């Protein structure tokens, strides 16, 4: 894939072809080495470097010509900043080129050690070795046929970090991320994962597993798949974030790009996850794919037995998205300000505020969180604020800018955790561990018990006597139930987090907050008639 995901390159016998996403005719085809190990990489959206039949070549898609040529090689590696190309051929050692103009800037000798080679590299590339550059092209990681694994300083090839002089490991995967080198080694004795701090020259973390471990890296993170779990490790902090969990299935392959993760299961199905690790579509392919890639706004997959690339397009429904946020900001509630310019995420520990551009503009911690009795997000005219009530009677109101706009001392609240909601016709009483009870506001007569699977958090009066009740489960999952004027359940709305005006707001806990209009039956009928009146409408 190109860096921005707008183009892709395909290598086959014995050519490389570059396509614009969605187009079925290649922009260019170039002859490559007669080896399945031949690589084709993007220096940027408009430039490729590939294992040309006469030597390494860089080709400008804009100019339609070769811009530099190097020596013979099949396997290529690109530094994280895309400024250095490492090339290895059938001879031992690697040559480094400046990506801009192909100037030969260094060599790395392997002192006679043999690289991993397929029995017949003309036929297949097993992909069972490491040949990777770091961010700036100053370090080169190489695995060897005897189970050796080393990290070379390309400016001083005698300065070699030897992870394994030789070993029983037969398969390696991994690469660099920041100042770290992460790798997985596989052999008959088991599977091993390690992270090497290249500056301190010591291991920053390891683990062993009976299940296969697959490692990928980029400039910011390390991605590790083990059995049914795919995780991301931040290159700075090594903080682990779950990206995908497959339950009873195993991760066979994966790709990660921006807000989405694509995972291939052992049965060949392709599974998609958002950045909150929430599962989305599952595509059943009927066979395993050798290649799975995420693109800009889509995905593609292919296998070696078919001459086709299968392309999928993402339907993201951007028109319904109100706000985006970092899904690592844990929260219990999400509410939209009265002017619709900010989103507040909050729980008893604190709150943060986002603007419409998805930028976090405020992050605050709340004092004595274990002493907080209740929190309510209030909208008064054009003003919005978070009201926090402590057990000692302290009540503070925080504006969307994070500042305290008022503070007062009230009587300490009743610890029975009883809450009352009043609408135009009803009074609803919610007690802890009891279903909410509805009473007629005028007569005081008991009317009905409501849903009791979750805790009632809000009740909103809608048009035509309808009520929207909002609930939170013990797992902090939110949902809404729409009731008609006789308190009958009309609809259940998963992920409902807010109601204002004639708009329902949904927080999918994945960094996306979306909205949907609330329509009366008359409005829906009128909308349907307007569609019917359009040319070709039904």
């Amino acid at each position: 894939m190109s860096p921005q995901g707008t183009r892709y390159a395909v290598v086959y016998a014995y050519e490389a072809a570059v396509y614009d996403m969605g187009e079925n005719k290649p922009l260019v085809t170039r002859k490559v080495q007669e080896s399945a190990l031949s690589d084709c990489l993007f220096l940027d959206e408009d430039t490729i470097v590939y294992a040309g039949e006469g030597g390494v070549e860089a080709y400008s898609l804009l100019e339609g010509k070769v811009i530099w040529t190097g020596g013979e090689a099949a396997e290529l590696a690109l530094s994280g900043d895309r400024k250095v190309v490492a090339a290895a051929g059938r001879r031992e050692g690697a040559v480094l080129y400046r990506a801009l103009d192909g100037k030969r800037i260094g060599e790395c000798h392997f002192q006679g050690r043999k690289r991993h080679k397929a029995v017949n590299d003309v036929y297949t590339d097993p992909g069972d070795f490491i040949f990777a550059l770091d961010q700036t092209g100053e370090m080169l990681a190489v695995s060897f046929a005897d189970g050796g694994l080393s990290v070379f300083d390309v400016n001083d090839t005698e300065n070699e970090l030897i992870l394994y002089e030789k070993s029983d490991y037969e398969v390696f995967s991994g690469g660099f991320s920041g100042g770290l080198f992460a790798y997985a080694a596989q052999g008959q004795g088991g599977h091993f994962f390690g992270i090497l701090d290249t500056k301190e020259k010591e291991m920053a973390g390891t683990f062993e597993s009976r299940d296969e471990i697959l490692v990928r890296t980029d400039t910011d993170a390390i991605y590790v798949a083990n059995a049914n779990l795919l995780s991301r490790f931040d290159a700075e902090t090594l903080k682990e974030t779950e990206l995908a969990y497959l339950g009873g299935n195993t991760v066979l392959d994966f790709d990660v790009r921006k807000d989405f993760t694509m995972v291939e299961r052992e049965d060949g199905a392709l599974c998609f996850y958002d950045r909150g690790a929430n599962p989305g579509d599952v595509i059943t392919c009927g066979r395993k794919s050798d290649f799975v890639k995420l693109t800009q706004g889509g995905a593609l997959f292919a296998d070696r037995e078919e001459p086709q690339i299968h392309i999928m397009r993402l339907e993201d429904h951007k028109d319904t998205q109100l706000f985006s946020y970092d899904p690592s900001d844990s929260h219990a509630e999400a509410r939209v300000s009265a002017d619709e310019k900010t989103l507040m995420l909050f729980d008893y520990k604190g709150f943060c505020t986002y603007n419409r551009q998805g930028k976090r503009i405020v992050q605050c911690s709340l004092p004595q969180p274990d002493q907080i009795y209740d929190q309510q997000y209030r909208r008064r005219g054009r003003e919005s604020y978070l009201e926090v009530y402590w057990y000692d009677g302290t009540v503070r109101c925080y504006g969307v800018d994070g500042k305290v706009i008022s503070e007062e001392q009230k009587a300490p609240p009743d610890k029975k955790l009883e809450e009352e909601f009043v609408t135009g016709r009803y009074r609803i009483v919610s007690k802890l561990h009891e279903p909410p009870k509805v009473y007629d506001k005028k007569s005081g007569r008991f009317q009905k018990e409501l849903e009791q699977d979750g805790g009632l958090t809000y009740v909103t009066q809608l048009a035509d006597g309808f009520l929207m009740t909002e609930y939170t489960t013990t797992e902090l999952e939110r949902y809404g139930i729409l009731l008609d004027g006789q308190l009958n359940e009309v609809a259940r709305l998963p992920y409902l987090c807010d109601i204002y005006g004639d708009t329902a707001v949904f927080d999918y806990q994945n960094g996306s907050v979306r909205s949907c209009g609330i329509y009366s039956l008359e409005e829906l009928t009128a909308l349907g008639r307007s569609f019917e009146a359009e040319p070709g409408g039904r």
Side-chain angles (χ1 to χ4, degrees), residues 316-338:
D316 55 12
H317 303 287
K318 286 289 186 181
D319 57 317
T320 68
Q321 182 167 299
L322 275 179
F323 293 91
S324 63
Y325 62 86
D326 185 342
S328 65
D329 282 331
S330 62
H331 57 282
E333 297 193 45
R335 309 286 281 182
V336 177
S337 61

Side-chain angles (χ1 to χ4, degrees), residues 373 414-420 427 429-432:
Y373 166 72
D414 189 337
K415 295 183 179 181
K416 293 181 180 179
L417 298 179
E418 179 178 314
E419 195 166 7
E420 184 174 281
R427 182 174 66 90
V429 179
S430 177
K431 296 182 180 180
L432 187 66

Side-chain angles (χ1 to χ4, degrees), residues 23-277:
E23 298 295 326
N24 59 8
K25 291 185 178 181
L27 292 170
V28 66
T29 59
R30 302 296 299 172
K31 294 293 184 181
V32 298
Q33 294 277 316
E34 291 190 4
S35 168
L37 302 177
S38 296
D39 283 326
C40 180
L41 307 174
F42 283 89
L43 297 178
D44 53 42
E45 295 300 297
D46 301 312
T47 313
I48 57 172
V49 59
Y50 56 95
E53 61 178 350
V56 180
E57 291 182 342
Y59 185 91
S60 171
L61 300 171
L62 287 178
E63 300 176 32
K65 66 178 185 180
V66 175
I67 55 178
W68 60 261
T69 301
E72 181 180 336
E75 299 156 61
L76 305 178
L78 194 59
S79 61
D81 60 12
R82 299 180 182 271
K83 294 182 179 180
V84 179
V85 178
R90 288 183 170 92
R91 297 178 182 178
E92 297 310 316
V95 178
L96 281 79
Y97 300 94
R98 189 163 63 191
L100 177 65
D101 55 13
K103 180 181 179 181
R104 189 167 175 150
I105 57 177
E107 295 183 6
C108 188
H109 300 286
F110 303 151
Q111 283 77 44
R113 283 175 289 177
K114 304 293 185 181
R115 297 278 323 286
H116 280 257
K117 294 295 181 183
V119 175
N120 182 358
D121 68 7
V122 173
Y123 174 69
T124 185
D125 174 9
D128 57 358
F129 57 86
I130 292 175
F131 183 67
L133 283 171
D134 71 343
Q135 174 69 16
T136 59
E138 297 177 280
M139 291 188 174
L140 177 68
V142 183
S143 62
F144 297 99
D146 60 1
L149 177 62
S150 292
V151 176
F152 295 92
D153 182 337
V154 298
N155 297 313
D156 179 8
T157 55
E158 293 185 2
N159 185 10
E160 176 185 355
L161 295 175
I162 301 175
L163 290 143
Y164 303 110
E165 183 75 44
K166 59 175 59 178
S167 72
D168 293 329
Y169 293 121
E170 301 169 345
V171 176
F172 291 89
S173 66
F176 291 91
S177 182
L180 304 174
F181 170 65
Y183 70 95
Q186 175 183 337
Q188 294 183 356
H191 307 269
F192 181 86
F193 169 74
I195 299 178
L196 172 70
D197 187 323
T198 58
K199 295 179 181 178
E200 301 296 330
K201 298 182 180 180
E202 60 183 28
M203 299 302 291
T206 64
F207 75 81
E208 295 183 73
S209 175
R210 292 181 298 179
D211 298 299
E212 183 177 353
I213 304 170
L214 182 61
V215 177
R216 303 274 173 75
T217 60
D218 60 26
T219 56
D220 301 315
I222 299 165
Y223 305 93
V224 181
N226 180 221
N228 57 5
L229 181 66
L230 173 62
S231 298
R232 177 189 188 275
F233 292 87
D234 184 88
E236 291 290 334
T237 64
L238 287 181
K239 177 184 177 182
E240 182 179 5
T241 303
E242 180 182 312
L243 295 181
Y245 176 70
L246 271 62
N249 288 287
T250 299
V251 178
L252 184 65
D253 200 357
F254 67 90
D255 194 22
V256 181
R257 181 179 286 268
K258 293 184 179 178
D259 296 338
F260 296 96
T261 298
M262 179 184 189
V263 174
E264 182 183 12
R265 296 191 319 214
E266 59 184 339
D267 61 0
L270 300 176
C271 309
F272 295 87
Y273 296 80
D274 61 31
R275 59 178 175 166

Side-chain angles (χ1 to χ4, degrees), residues 378-439:
R378 308 290 189 187
R379 288 186 283 259
R380 298 286 186 267
R382 303 296 290 175
E383 184 181 24
S384 302
Y385 56 89
L386 179 66
E387 183 182 79
V388 185
Y389 199 171
W390 278 264
Y391 276 105
D392 65 0
T394 301
V395 179
R396 294 192 187 97
C397 295
Y398 296 84
V400 295
D401 59 0
K403 297 179 180 179
V404 177
I405 58 179
S406 69
E407 180 174 345
E408 60 180 316
Q409 195 68 33
K410 294 185 177 181
D414 189 337
K415 295 183 179 181
K416 293 181 180 179
L417 298 179
E418 179 178 314
E419 195 166 7
E420 184 174 281
F421 305 90
V422 180
T423 69
R425 181 178 174 184
Y426 299 110
R427 182 174 66 90
I428 303 168
V429 179
S430 177
K431 296 182 180 180
L432 187 66
H433 305 310
E434 293 183 17
K437 293 181 172 60
V438 183
Y439 300 88

Side-chain angles (χ1 to χ4, degrees), residues 342-500:
T342 60
L343 171 76
M344 182 177 285
L345 310 177
F346 61 93
D347 60 17
Y348 71 97
K349 293 181 180 179
F351 63 92
C352 59
T353 304
Y354 281 81
N355 62 18
R356 293 298 290 265
Q357 290 71 48
K359 180 181 179 181
R360 187 196 299 119
I361 55 178
V362 170
Q363 187 160 29
C364 296
S365 298
L366 293 172
Q368 298 180 297
D370 57 332
Q371 296 298 312
I372 291 176
Y373 166 72
D374 191 25
Q375 295 171 298
Q376 294 290 331
Y377 190 81
R378 308 290 189 187
R379 288 186 283 259
R380 298 286 186 267
R382 303 296 290 175
E383 184 181 24
S384 302
Y385 56 89
L386 179 66
E387 183 182 79
V388 185
Y389 199 171
W390 278 264
Y391 276 105
D392 65 0
T394 301
V395 179
R396 294 192 187 97
C397 295
Y398 296 84
V400 295
D401 59 0
K403 297 179 180 179
V404 177
I405 58 179
S406 69
E407 180 174 345
E408 60 180 316
Q409 195 68 33
K410 294 185 177 181
D414 189 337
K415 295 183 179 181
K416 293 181 180 179
L417 298 179
E418 179 178 314
E419 195 166 7
E420 184 174 281
F421 305 90
V422 180
T423 69
R425 181 178 174 184
Y426 299 110
R427 182 174 66 90
I428 303 168
V429 179
S430 177
K431 296 182 180 180
L432 187 66
H433 305 310
E434 293 183 17
K437 293 181 172 60
V438 183
Y439 300 88
D440 185 272
K441 190 167 68 173
K442 290 184 178 179
S443 68
R445 292 179 180 175
F446 171 76
Q447 301 292 306
K448 192 174 185 179
E449 287 187 351
L450 299 182
E451 168 86 24
Q452 58 181 328
D453 290 339
L456 184 65
T457 57
Y458 295 94
V459 178
T460 304
Q461 178 79 56
L462 303 177
D464 300 332
F466 281 68
L467 298 179
M468 185 70 79
T469 56
E470 298 176 51
Y471 292 85
T472 301
T473 69
T474 55
E475 290 79 24
L476 298 183
E477 295 176 350
R478 299 188 64 84
Y479 64 95
I481 296 178
L482 179 64
L483 305 175
D484 63 17
Q486 286 70 49
L487 304 176
N488 297 310
E489 182 176 321
V490 176
R492 186 172 290 248
L493 293 82
Y495 306 109
L496 183 75
C497 69
D498 199 359
I499 294 286
Y500 64 93

